[in-house]
Amino acid sequence: MKNSDIKYIVEILKNAKQPKSDFVLLMDSFKNPYLVLISCILSLRTNDKTTYPATLRMLKLAKTPKDMKGVNVEELKKAIYPVGFYENKAKQIIELSRIIDEELDGKVPDEIEDLIKFKGVGRKTANLVLSLGFNKPAICVDVHVHRIFNRLGYIKTKNPEETEFALREKLPKRYWIDINTLLVTHGQNVCKPVKPNCQDCPIAEYCAKIL
């Protein structure tokens, strides 16, 4: 694809009306950095179908750092099971909530360098908090974003972290916030890891099909 094609790709995907997963819709609705943060932690190494109901169960227990830090860890483990590494995630969420409430005046940091200081929070999670929670330009790169941009031929990278920095250099900033939701949805519906549905892909004419 040509670099200039990105504007057409983004516009087509915005208008494609591909169904979003319940978890993606939930995350898009939050507009709250703390809820984005703890929900994204749950989603790591877990599919959306499992993460969505687990997130709803977790939020019945608490929705603020002050309340979450007081939740019994065993109760939280039970609520979020069977997300991957649920025991570690329960401990992580409670400790992270304590730090935010007691050491950060209840406020989630709005800089990536501060967010990744939290145990278990990587660049993907931090960028999602910035974009969905604070509406700040940030590029959240997961496996879908990494895979699709490489298939398109827009970049050539080996892993999601390389992809993030490559996109920071190349992708116009006006697309940064939207690109994760667009490509996650496209990756879940059409551009799948194995046997992508190229015949029904709305952006097939721009794709280099680097599989």
Side-chain angles (χ1 to χ4, degrees):
M1 62 170 285
K2 298 181 294 185
N3 292 348
S4 59
D5 289 339
I6 191 64
K7 63 181 179 182
Y8 303 114
I9 288 171
V10 170
E11 191 62 29
I12 290 168
L13 291 180
K14 281 184 176 180
N15 293 320
K17 293 182 172 55
Q18 295 173 354
K20 295 180 180 180
S21 74
D22 288 334
F23 182 68
V24 169
L25 289 170
L26 183 66
M27 291 285 278
D28 285 349
S29 73
F30 280 148
K31 314 301 180 188
N32 178 311
Y34 175 70
L35 297 183
V36 173
L37 175 59
I38 61 174
S39 300
C40 189
I41 289 171
L42 283 194
S43 74
L44 299 174
R45 300 189 181 185
T46 307
N47 63 50
D48 284 4
K49 288 184 179 179
T50 300
T51 305
Y52 175 67
T55 302
L56 296 182
R57 293 192 298 269
M58 174 179 67
L59 297 182
K60 286 183 179 179
L61 300 178
K63 294 183 179 180
T64 67
K66 186 175 185 65
D67 290 339
M68 187 66 78
K69 74 175 186 180
V71 171
N72 179 276
V73 68
E74 295 302 323
E75 189 176 6
L76 183 55
K77 287 179 186 178
K78 183 179 179 181
I80 66 175
Y81 178 84
V83 301
F85 305 97
Y86 70 96
E87 293 181 322
N88 290 337
K89 289 177 180 178
K91 296 174 185 177
Q92 177 189 351
I93 288 169
I94 289 174
E95 175 60 12
L96 176 150
S97 300
R98 184 197 65 78
I99 292 171
I100 292 172
D101 181 60
E102 297 179 5
E103 301 178 19
L104 301 175
D105 196 28
K107 298 177 181 177
V108 175
D110 64 353
E111 297 293 339
I112 193 168
E113 293 80 9
D114 295 322
L115 285 164
I116 61 176
K117 291 178 183 177
F118 290 127
K119 183 179 179 181
V121 174
R123 296 190 66 87
K124 170 193 168 183
T125 299
N127 278 305
L128 199 64
V129 171
L130 295 180
S131 60
L132 294 185
F134 290 102
N135 199 36
K136 294 180 66 173
I139 303 175
C140 176
V141 177
D142 66 356
V143 291
H144 296 291
V145 176
H146 171 65
R147 177 179 73 253
I148 294 171
F149 268 122
N150 276 276
R151 276 183 177 169
L152 288 168
Y154 189 65
I155 54 173
K156 186 177 181 180
T157 55
K158 296 179 181 178
N159 55 59
E161 186 164 334
E162 279 189 21
T163 295
E164 180 198 335
F165 286 102
L167 291 176
R168 283 179 175 273
E169 293 293 325
K170 190 171 185 179
L171 184 68
K173 188 171 282 191
R174 63 184 178 274
Y175 302 133
W176 286 15
I177 291 177
D178 292 333
I179 203 66
N180 179 264
T181 296
L182 290 175
L183 292 194
V184 167
T185 301
H186 186 58
Q188 291 175 339
N189 288 284
V190 179
C191 196
K192 300 178 181 181
V194 180
K195 296 182 180 179
N197 190 12
C198 298
Q199 64 271 22
D200 293 326
C201 178
I203 58 172
E205 65 179 292
Y206 301 104
C207 186
K209 295 182 176 60
I210 300 172
L211 304 176

